[in-house]
Amino acid sequence: MKYQEFHRRSLQDREGFWAGEAKLVEWHKPFKQVLDYSKPPFAKWFVGGETNLCHNAVDRHLAKRADQKALVWISTEVNEEKSFTYKELHLEVNRVAAMMRSLGVKRGDRVIVYMPMIPEAVFAILACARIGAVHSVVFGGFAAASLAARIDDAKPSLMITADGGSRMGKVVLYKALVDESLRLAQHPPKKVLLFNRGLDPSLSFVKGRDVDWNEAKPKRASVPCEWLESSTPSYILYTSGTTGHPKGVQRDVGGYCVALASSMKRIFCGEPGETMFTTSDIGWVVGHSYIIYAPLIAGMTTILYEGVPIRPDAGIWWKIVEDHKVAVMFSAPTAIRVLKKHDVSFLRKHDLSSLKHLYLAGEPLDEPTHTWITQALGRPVIDHYWQTETGWPLLSAVPGVERTPLKMGSPSFPVYGYDVHLLHERTGKPVADGEKGVVTITPPLPPGCMTTVWGDDERFVRTYFKDFKNIYSTFDWGIRDKDGYYFILGRTDDVINVAGHRLGTREIEEAVSMHSNVAECAVVGVVDSLKGQMPLAFAVLKDASKGTSQQEIMETVDKQLGAIARPKAVHFVTLLPKTRSGKTLRRSIQALAEGRDPGDLTTIEDPTALEQIRKALQ
Ligand code: PRX
């Protein structure tokens, strides 16, 4: 079938279309209604149906593929490799589920998972899904204060963590940070389940609170899957937005399961028994969807990689592809830009004949990088665009339906199920081909997308459906060419993308402001040839004579948010450019920092502020 026709059908006959896709997953109880859209913009998919993500990812495969590898863990950090068949994964997940139950975790309880890229993290996540606990995985790069903010929002009954991780061969200790976050939090969980992998010689357990995973884990256990109504929350994943306060993106069970199963078939072309290698982290949405759930739901072998792309050398990923006959690979443009700096022979020396496609997402894929990797691999490299909010691709080629030609630098077309329109920023009217507009989705959002903001329905509506009346805004600029191909031009809000990590400049500003000598500050994202964007800070000090250094500010950010958010530089100024009504002119600052025209300055209060920025940048 031609793809455009397929897409049209998915919107014209929404219910018929998704009822068909829903056959890709196993239901304990069939749904009564495909879509309940009686309370827009809240969409409930597969109403009355009961299923379980862990059942679909694990138990379901025991009949046919019990001895097939489900999970392969490769760590070039601690030089270990382990694999688990579906049968073994089932056992491990049951053991962890039993442990969680014995610690009092009930259906609907939240569990924070703060873990490095180890198999135990996958067991913990699947065990939550199994018993109907809502997991909230926090990326290991976030600092204690960020973790505490997420704890206070989710109010978990349990936290699962490990002694540490490792990055570039250096141990990163988790436990002290976890202790600190629990001290800072207003709603700390009563119990902490701690997996000791032997990286921290001075690891300590808090009596009565911390439970040793290795001791508590039963030898055998059988914990049946909880059958959950389709709209039951499956997880919360915090993401950055315009405010300093992270948003808890909430997802359901049934819609997510169907969307992922469908995407594996139609977009990623992953067949049962094949291997998928996604290079993200379990703390991000790509890790949730395409390291853990989707490949397992599809009966594939998934690879969990702890390490960086250039250690021991720039051939490591391609070695993994060769050794494990990877068929589907998913990575981010930043990583490819890093690899592009190394000799292409690192790639060429490996047998990559198993690889069907490489998928890239998370940030704009520039044309030179897209061309380089396509030529190096001799395979289609599929740029696709989506967000934590959507959970699965929004714009992409859909080769499982039709092999449409790819255009370099474009994530192709709207994915089926998504009613995408580019709207004019001010008028809200659709823009013409070749004109820039905001990428929007006319609701209902398809299955798999966020169902609300955790604990705050009103914030969901206010955040996403207000700029364009009752239409979902992605907060990304886009443009469509005459052939219908989309190009993403960057965010319309204060979110920046640093090496594929999504960060809010407001969050970084709040972190900078935690330094006792900072009166106010502005953080903007500036183009970086490797990382896509980097934060750049401008700070006004309370007392300039105190000699506050750039280093001190950077350390404050490390401590508040994590080193991933550390500004590239901190410039000290005596005032920030503001409008007469007091709004900081971030766009103008950003433009200057990127060597562009600062734009309309008729509303500026004091033009000398901009002069200071100019000088500081020199
Ligand atoms: O700005 C877009 C950018 O990343 C944002 C979403 O980031 P996150 O929530 O971390 O989810 C990543 C899921 C892959 C988007 O709003 N983005 C993502 N993919 C692309 C992209 N920008 C350009 N091209 C892409 N392919």
Side-chain angles (χ1 to χ4, degrees), residues 286 361-364 383-388 476 488 491 497 502:
V286 174
E363 52 178 321
D383 178 12
H384 61 304
Y385 157 88
W386 50 292
Q387 315 181 293
T388 304
D476 278 301
I488 297 294
R491 298 280 301 197
N497 212 310
R502 173 167 163 182

Side-chain angles (χ1 to χ4, degrees), residues 205-210:
F205 286 76
V206 174
K207 239 180 135 192
R209 186 195 73 187
D210 298 351

Side-chain angles (χ1 to χ4, degrees), residues 491-509:
R491 298 280 301 197
T492 65
D493 62 1
D494 298 315
V495 167
I496 59 171
N497 212 310
V498 182
H501 301 322
R502 173 167 163 182
L503 298 166
T505 52
R506 300 300 168 103
E507 279 172 281
I508 308 176
E509 286 176 1

Side-chain angles (χ1 to χ4, degrees), residues 359-434:
Y359 292 82
L360 298 175
E363 52 178 321
L365 173 59
D366 54 283
E367 209 181 305
T369 305
H370 199 173
T371 306
W372 178 81
I373 187 69
T374 303
Q375 284 171 356
L377 284 176
R379 300 276 186 300
V381 174
I382 300 182
D383 178 12
H384 61 304
Y385 157 88
W386 50 292
Q387 315 181 293
T388 304
E389 287 86 344
T390 66
W392 65 293
L394 196 177
L395 296 175
S396 182
V398 184
V401 177
E402 187 193 358
R403 294 189 171 271
T404 47
L406 299 172
K407 280 197 189 186
M408 295 296 118
S410 164
S412 298
F413 316 115
V415 166
Y416 56 92
Y418 289 94
D419 192 6
V420 178
H421 298 274
L422 291 174
L423 301 182
H424 189 279
E425 181 190 17
R426 279 192 308 279
T427 65
K429 298 250 158 46
V431 296
D433 287 348

